[in-house]
Amino acid sequence: MKRASMSVDGRTRCFAVFGHPIGHTFSPMIHELFIRECGENLAYLAFDVTPENLEDALRGAWAMGFRGLNLTIPLKERVIPYLTGIDPLARKVGAVNTLKRTEEGFYGYNTDVYGMQSQLRTNGIHLQGQDVVILGAGGAAKSALCVCQMEGAESVSVYNRTYERATELVRRFEEACRGEETPRMRAVSLEELLSMPHPYVIQTTPAGMLSVSDRLPIREESFYEDIRYAADVVFNPKDTPFLSLVRSHGGKGADGLSMLYYQALKAFEIWRETAFSKEQALRMKEEFLSWAEDFFHE
Ligand code: NAP
């Protein structure tokens, strides 16, 4: 994908992503595709915003007329107190990655759940009635738990290197889902994880990211032999060491780039209050994936 030269004038409606650090974000490239496709006078920027500056940055963006924002690490939870309201799904997950301008301020949504759901479905991974393992217990794991519930998984076992955080994640999610049907959920130790069947795994730790020294979330190679279907949230690189090991043992793996694409698509559709056609969405996805492929090989 060639970067289009952005044309901006006094009528341009602005969007942005806030995060810290932000230098490696792919969001402007994805949104540039959407902007080009819809042909409207829109612009999407990226800003390095620390948690300490978040409140001021939100006030400033609203005062300057920004129509929508995305939030990434480490702002998805910290933004909640500054919003005029929050969508029920985002409330359940406890994390907000998309803001839409209203008369009173910004309203929060979570599109990571949609992104992961689409990542799984478009790769032929169906969780209904399945026993699923989630690796990690941070923000992305919250989305994964929600996806497991929405997809009708039978049970979810959460493994995290800090066991207490996995226990807390499960407890909070159960509390957020009171009165709803949920999968059976529990935290598991490494020993339990290695000895139980685990055909479906959602990998939500940063292990395997280019900037992270740990290449794998689980070092024991035997763990990978049992995995039939896996999704990784890490998207940089596309083919993570985790996915490579899953595939080398005959399993199917869905990469984090498609989750990234679909969460962005949903955010853009929330802002414009209109959806692209299936054909448009697929065509732009292919274009993004091919841009990313070139990026990783540069
Ligand atoms: P987070 O809230 O900081 O949580 C990270 C979790 O991973 C924690 O449970 C942590 O364990 C565990 N962890 C960290 N480093 C580890 C390592 N080296 N080995 C094993 N476990 C490790 O982070 P997050 O917001 O969930 O983000 C996690 C990853 O998801 C990031 O790489 C992020 O870029 C990616 N992500 C991708 C998308 C997408 O669209 N593809 C969307 C959201 C997030 P402790 O509790 O022990 O610290």
Side-chain angles (χ1 to χ4, degrees):
M1 180 184 104
K2 266 210 185 111
R3 303 223 46 192
S5 58
M6 196 165 59
S7 92
V8 176
D9 60 26
R11 277 185 280 272
T12 303
R13 284 169 289 154
C14 290
F15 300 84
V17 57
F18 289 178
H20 179 73
I22 198 67
H24 294 101
T25 180
F26 285 178
S27 292
M29 292 71 169
I30 306 178
H31 283 279
E32 199 167 289
L33 281 172
F34 301 155
I35 291 171
R36 228 173 41 192
E37 184 72 16
C38 74
E40 293 175 15
N41 187 356
L42 312 176
Y44 187 101
L45 304 160
F47 295 104
D48 194 324
V49 174
T50 60
E52 296 70 37
N53 293 333
L54 178 60
E55 187 176 5
D56 286 345
L58 288 169
R59 255 193 242 280
W62 193 83
M64 289 192 291
F66 275 71
R67 302 305 167 109
L69 298 170
N70 284 134
L71 299 153
T72 185
I73 287 180
L75 308 174
K76 291 182 189 182
E77 286 144 23
R78 296 177 206 236
V79 73
I80 294 174
Y82 307 123
L83 304 178
T84 57
I86 170 169
D87 170 77
L89 177 65
R91 183 172 301 287
K92 186 196 280 188
V93 178
V96 165
N97 74 324
T98 298
L99 306 187
K100 186 171 197 278
R101 182 190 186 78
T102 72
E103 291 288 305
E104 296 81 34
F106 287 112
Y107 189 89
Y109 297 87
N110 181 300
T111 70
D112 282 338
V113 170
Y114 175 84
M116 187 181 285
Q117 225 177 358
S118 305
Q119 172 194 20
L120 293 169
R121 287 183 182 180
T122 56
N123 280 282
I125 302 177
H126 303 289
L127 303 185
Q128 185 166 26
Q130 303 299 339
D131 299 313
V132 183
V133 163
I134 295 175
L135 302 179
K142 289 181 183 175
S143 293
L145 261 183
C146 205
V147 169
C148 289
Q149 184 203 19
M150 290 164 78
E151 293 293 294
E154 176 69 21
S155 75
V156 183
S157 305
V158 182
Y159 168 72
N160 191 47
R161 61 181 184 183
T162 314
Y163 180 78
E164 295 69 31
R165 208 168 162 198
T167 318
E168 185 58 11
L169 176 76
V170 168
R171 190 192 65 73
R172 285 205 180 172
F173 192 70
E174 276 173 341
E175 205 173 279
C177 294
R178 202 169 293 148
E180 297 175 17
E181 204 170 311
T182 60
R184 281 181 284 110
M185 295 180 278
R186 65 182 181 133
V188 292
S189 65
L190 182 59
E191 206 180 356
E192 284 175 283
L193 177 69
L194 295 177
S195 61
M196 62 190 261
H198 47 266
Y200 287 79
V201 178
I202 303 178
Q203 193 312 101
T204 74
T205 82
M209 267 174 81
L210 289 174
S211 55
V212 172
S213 57
D214 284 330
R215 284 168 46 80
L216 290 167
I218 304 288
R219 292 204 190 98
E220 288 74 1
E221 179 141 0
S222 61
F223 173 72
Y224 298 87
E225 290 166 6
D226 194 43
I227 303 178
R228 305 274 41 92
Y229 297 96
D232 199 337
V233 297
V234 172
F235 56 84
N236 187 353
K238 175 174 181 277
D239 296 314
T240 58
F242 170 80
L243 288 179
S244 299
L245 261 181
V246 168
R247 289 174 185 141
S248 73
H249 285 95
K252 188 170 180 168
D255 64 67
L257 273 180
S258 57
M259 175 179 172
L260 186 72
Y261 173 79
Y262 283 110
Q263 63 75 30
L265 181 72
K266 186 74 177 174
F268 197 77
E269 292 179 349
I270 287 173
W271 293 330
R272 284 186 68 236
E273 296 177 4
T274 175
F276 288 114
S277 70
K278 236 181 182 168
E279 292 69 32
Q280 284 175 304
L282 268 179
R283 180 166 36 75
M284 291 187 289
K285 181 183 171 192
E286 291 312 318
E287 205 175 331
F288 168 59
L289 294 180
S290 124
W291 171 84
E293 191 93 349
D294 291 348
F295 176 88
F296 291 129
H297 286 103
E298 260 169 25

